[in-house]
Amino acid sequence: MTTTTTSATTATTTTATAGTAATAAVTVQAAEERPQVRRRRRLSPGRRLPASRLIGPVLLLGLWAAASAAGRLDPAAIPAPWTVLETGVHLWTDGTLPTDILTSLQRAGSGFAIGLTAGVALALAAGLSRTGDALIDGTVQLNRAVPTLGLIPLFILWLGIGETFKIAIIAIVVYIPIYLNTHAALSGIDHRYVELAEVQGLSKLAFVRQIVIPGALPGFFVGLRLGVTGSWLGLVVLEQINATSGLGYLMFQAQNYGQTDVILVGLVIYGIFGLVSDSAVRLIERRVLSWRRTLSS
């Protein structure tokens, strides 16, 4: 009887000890998990703010308006935002601004399309072939080292002073960043994926479609954003060389007559075009690369 009682007491003690140990283990595990969750929240950038890319420009516009209203800015050097807006409305109603905007869009669009096609084609040829890499990459790197705007006098001699040389210069400005970033992304594809494709017996076309294109897309979109910005930067210079229309021509003429408000109208339009085009590329990038989990996701 005593032996039975002792065994029962021992079993009860063992059960209680096991329960206490299990409770302690759960408590320790919860305590370990809790700081980790807080640490992840502290290190991450946080939630994406709605229309966050407009906060900076709106703040800058507000500072500009406040400084103009307080008389801190010389109206002859930097007119007030409402003066620039009034000038822009006047240029639009008399038909000058729509014509110049359309001309600039056509030039930038033509050069961008040519540069995009050339950049992607050259990157694929150099990234997928050792022979192509030997023939193309060094030439592109040499072209990158030469200031593109420094080629303007030579292109004028080759192509004339008309529209052709302007589109050619914009194409060069666009294709270089697209090529560099796409080629870098292709070169960075893990070789194990190539071996896996060979084991699976994929054809060349299937390999490009399933391995190469998804691997190169992140770098391609980085180059695309730089190319879009470069097309507007090149355009503002090229439209001041023997042009009869365009935003750059409008600004050049305003400089001759000291019309600072007209110059600011052109700069604001260029800035809007750049912001809208970059935002469109970023939106497409998020949709196409929705499978990626990044800090900006």
Side-chain angles (χ1 to χ4, degrees), residues 158-195:
W158 287 349
L159 303 175
I161 199 70
E163 293 293 313
T164 307
F165 98 91
K166 297 181 178 66
I167 294 175
I169 292 294
I170 293 174
I172 293 176
V173 173
V174 170
Y175 101 88
I176 291 178
I178 291 178
Y179 168 85
L180 292 175
N181 288 277
T182 306
H183 182 266
L186 287 171
S187 302
I189 295 177
D190 197 323
H191 195 268
R192 288 175 294 181
Y193 292 118
V194 181
E195 296 174 350

Side-chain angles (χ1 to χ4, degrees), residues 89-204:
V89 171
H90 174 71
L91 291 173
W92 182 272
T93 54
D94 68 8
T96 302
L97 200 55
T99 303
D100 291 331
I101 290 177
L102 181 60
T103 302
S104 295
L105 288 175
Q106 290 175 344
R107 287 173 180 151
S110 300
F112 179 79
I114 296 173
L116 173 62
T117 304
V120 172
L122 292 174
L124 289 175
L128 299 178
S129 169
R130 296 296 184 185
T131 303
D133 185 67
L135 294 174
I136 295 172
D137 191 63
T139 306
V140 175
Q141 298 297 337
L142 179 63
N143 189 4
R144 180 171 71 101
V146 177
T148 305
L149 296 180
L151 298 173
I152 291 177
L154 188 59
F155 272 63
I156 290 176
L157 292 176
W158 287 349
L159 303 175
I161 199 70
E163 293 293 313
T164 307
F165 98 91
K166 297 181 178 66
I167 294 175
I169 292 294
I170 293 174
I172 293 176
V173 173
V174 170
Y175 101 88
I176 291 178
I178 291 178
Y179 168 85
L180 292 175
N181 288 277
T182 306
H183 182 266
L186 287 171
S187 302
I189 295 177
D190 197 323
H191 195 268
R192 288 175 294 181
Y193 292 118
V194 181
E195 296 174 350
L196 179 61
E198 292 174 349
V199 171
Q200 295 295 325
L202 296 181
S203 64
K204 189 72 172 180

Side-chain angles (χ1 to χ4, degrees), residues 57-77:
V58 170
L59 179 61
L60 181 62
L61 180 62
L63 292 174
W64 180 16
S68 298
R72 298 292 183 178
L73 298 178
D74 182 7

Side-chain angles (χ1 to χ4, degrees), residues 31-45:
E32 290 178 350
E33 290 178 352
R34 205 174 300 120
Q36 291 178 358
V37 174
R38 284 200 296 267
R39 191 178 300 116
R40 284 199 297 270
R41 290 176 180 173
R42 185 168 60 247
L43 295 177
S44 65

